[in-house]
Amino acid sequence: MPPVFAHGALRLYLLALLESAPKHGYELIKALGERFGGTYSPSAGTIYPRLAKLEEEGLVATESEGRRTTYSITDAGRAELDRRRQELADVEETISASVRRLADGLRADIRSNMRGLRADLAATAEAARTTARTSARTPTAGESTYAYSPEGQRILKEVELMVQSFRDDIRMELRKQGAAHPLSPVALETVRTVLDQARISIRNSLRS
């Protein structure tokens, strides 16, 4: 993947992030991840050396809080930003272009993976239909239809419980992930596509 930031651009953008308020290193990493909509997140090995360099140049000051270090912009850092506002605007435009490029690449990967998933779902559904046809029985005359028989009701209840369990599990996972960091547009697109394909496969199997 081509570099997300041009030479020196990340350094400038870190100053811009600190302009609003002091931040820990993790908060800076998280802020960058959010700016890229979850398509990119810099490593600690990328961020901390640049923060150390900014501190050496007097553009950033640090304050220790136990095991954590807070970074804040200095007056010299604000003056640096003021001199380079146009360059910062160019960096913002480059970030927007990078987000679009990375999202396009991820969507292409999702489409490729979904083709494989659709094939797997179709094969699984066909196998399930074959098994069901083999084991199904035909109600005799005067007997209630299979759908309303004890066995039919048992299967319906089991399927409903499976759907409810799936729903509860996914909701819990979404809430856990959402509490840790915002879900990205790519995650939304993936969930929507997977659920749509699952819905189609289930409906087709029910109608067979």
Side-chain angles (χ1 to χ4, degrees):
M1 184 180 73
V4 174
F5 284 97
H7 179 70
L10 177 56
R11 174 180 175 277
L12 180 63
Y13 201 69
L14 287 172
L15 283 177
L17 290 174
L18 291 173
E19 185 179 24
S20 58
K23 293 179 177 62
H24 302 297
Y26 172 74
E27 291 173 324
L28 288 167
I29 292 173
K30 184 177 179 181
L32 278 164
E34 291 172 355
R35 176 62 183 86
F36 279 86
T39 59
Y40 165 76
S41 181
S43 66
T46 298
I47 294 299
Y48 287 106
R50 286 170 171 80
L51 289 171
K53 183 64 175 176
L54 288 170
E55 184 181 9
E56 288 177 10
E57 295 173 357
L59 304 180
V60 163
T62 61
E63 181 178 348
S64 296
E65 300 175 1
R67 299 175 59 185
R68 304 180 72 179
T69 299
T70 299
Y71 298 88
S72 58
I73 191 170
T74 63
D75 290 341
R78 288 191 177 87
E80 175 82 358
L81 274 180
D82 288 339
R83 285 194 300 270
R84 302 174 66 184
R85 290 294 177 185
Q86 182 54 53
E87 187 177 345
L88 180 60
D90 294 340
V91 171
E92 281 284 4
E93 179 57 33
T94 299
I95 289 176
S96 297
S98 295
V99 170
R100 290 191 294 270
R101 172 170 51 79
L102 292 169
D104 287 344
L106 288 172
R107 278 193 290 269
D109 289 342
I110 290 171
R111 285 193 293 270
S112 176
N113 291 334
M114 286 308 304
R115 283 194 291 270
L117 177 61
R118 282 195 293 270
D120 291 342
L121 287 172
T124 301
E126 180 58 32
R129 285 194 293 269
T130 300
T131 300
R133 284 194 294 266
T134 302
S135 60
R137 69 179 180 85
T138 303
T140 58
E143 188 180 16
S144 61
T145 62
Y146 185 69
Y148 294 96
S149 69
E151 177 65 6
Q153 288 300 300
R154 183 192 69 78
I155 292 175
L156 176 60
K157 186 65 175 177
E158 183 174 349
V159 171
E160 288 177 344
L161 288 173
M162 289 169 60
V163 171
Q164 182 65 41
S165 177
F166 174 82
R167 175 179 176 273
D168 292 343
D169 286 347
I170 294 300
R171 286 188 67 184
M172 184 178 301
E173 185 67 23
L174 286 171
R175 289 174 179 176
K176 181 173 70 175
Q177 293 298 323
H181 53 76
L183 296 175
S184 69
V186 175
L188 172 63
E189 183 73 17
T190 301
V191 172
R192 179 184 289 117
T193 304
V194 170
L195 290 179
D196 285 345
Q197 292 302 319
R199 183 184 295 110
I200 291 170
S201 295
I202 291 172
R203 282 177 175 170
N204 289 341
S205 68
L206 294 175
R207 293 168 181 168
S208 301

